[in-house]
Amino acid sequence: MSTLARWARAEWGLLYVTVREPLLKRRWRAVPMTIGAVCLTAVVQVVQNQSWGFGFVRNVGAVRAEEPLWLALLRTPLSLFVPALDLPVWGALAQILFVFGIAEICLGWWRTLAVAYIATLAGTLFARVGIWLGPEGLLGLPGSDARVVDTGPSAAVVGLAVFLGWRYGAYVTAGVVVAAMIVEVLLKGNLAGKEHLAAIAAVLVLCAVSALRHRRRAGTTGSSGLPPIRS
């Protein structure tokens, strides 16, 4: 076995074994939430591109930092499935299908949604903090970003990728995702990039809490266990 093959097996082997059997046995039935999320995103994309549907989607799923916090929190769940109009929709659909699908098999559907929404919410809240800091700060944002429509699954996808990488020992992959987001901020410094870093920070806190909980549980039961989490 070559060095690259050994590395790939060590990096992704546990993740591959966990995902392979359910997909072979149940195929698309193994990821019903993911299929539903892909369909919802596709439907929202069609609706928001219609003259009669654009305003409706904006009213129920568009988040802006200039709006009241309670309204942003109310819209955040749907905003995850509202594709950005300036990006190709197939990118959002592919991200959801691939990352959400793997996460649903490994974590279960409700844990996948929980991590996804924590990451998305962290980005949504950070936008307000960044605008308050102002454009001079490293993580600050210009006041004009308060009017930017903030939607799409990217923060959730980044958060899930990091969480899965930590959970299943794909540390290099998780590190590459984090490094890519840092480079994005250094090159662009835009709202989306900084929200991705906020999502990663929130997920890393979640990883730390999860590790502490498992360590305590292992101390009382005598098991070390991390991966098995499926539901």
Side-chain angles (χ1 to χ4, degrees):
M1 187 181 294
S2 68
T3 302
L4 182 60
R6 283 196 299 270
W7 176 84
R9 187 168 185 173
E11 179 75 4
W12 299 309
L14 182 57
L15 203 56
Y16 174 77
V17 170
T18 304
V19 172
R20 182 176 181 272
E21 186 176 349
L23 279 181
L24 287 177
K25 286 185 176 179
R26 302 175 61 197
R27 297 185 182 276
W28 298 114
R29 290 175 296 167
V31 289
M33 182 276 293
T34 299
I35 299 301
V38 169
C39 292
L40 174 60
T41 304
V43 168
V44 170
Q45 171 69 3
V46 172
V47 171
Q48 75 172 347
N49 277 283
Q50 309 302 316
S51 58
W52 52 266
F54 180 81
F56 172 75
V57 172
R58 284 293 175 266
N59 288 334
V60 299
V63 176
R64 299 181 186 86
E66 67 178 358
E67 295 171 336
L69 180 59
W70 67 267
L71 185 58
L73 295 178
L74 198 62
R75 291 175 174 174
T76 294
L78 184 60
S79 73
L80 199 160
F81 304 106
V82 178
L85 287 173
D86 59 338
L87 296 174
V89 68
W90 60 262
L93 297 177
Q95 288 176 11
I96 293 173
L97 182 63
F98 184 70
V99 179
F100 274 61
I102 293 174
E104 184 175 2
I105 292 173
C106 294
L107 308 176
W109 70 268
W110 73 267
R111 288 187 180 89
T112 298
L113 285 179
V115 175
Y117 278 125
I118 287 171
T120 301
L121 185 59
T124 297
L125 296 177
F126 171 79
R128 297 167 184 270
V129 175
I131 291 167
W132 176 76
L133 290 173
E136 293 80 14
L138 178 63
L139 295 177
L141 295 165
S144 58
D145 279 355
R147 296 185 294 275
V148 174
V149 176
D150 181 20
T151 62
S154 59
V157 167
V158 168
L160 282 169
V162 171
F163 188 85
L164 285 170
W166 166 79
R167 184 84 194 178
Y168 283 82
Y171 301 120
V172 174
T173 303
V176 168
V177 172
V178 174
M181 296 304 102
I182 293 173
V183 170
E184 179 186 14
V185 168
L186 292 176
L187 292 178
K188 295 183 178 180
N190 58 5
L191 173 63
K194 293 180 180 181
E195 284 189 340
H196 292 163
L197 290 185
I200 289 172
V203 168
L204 290 178
V205 171
L206 192 62
C207 291
V209 171
S210 180
L212 182 61
R213 192 178 71 180
H214 279 282
R215 192 171 299 143
R216 288 177 177 174
R217 186 180 300 171
T220 58
T221 64
S223 64
S224 60
L226 261 186
I229 246 192
R230 277 177 279 177
S231 62

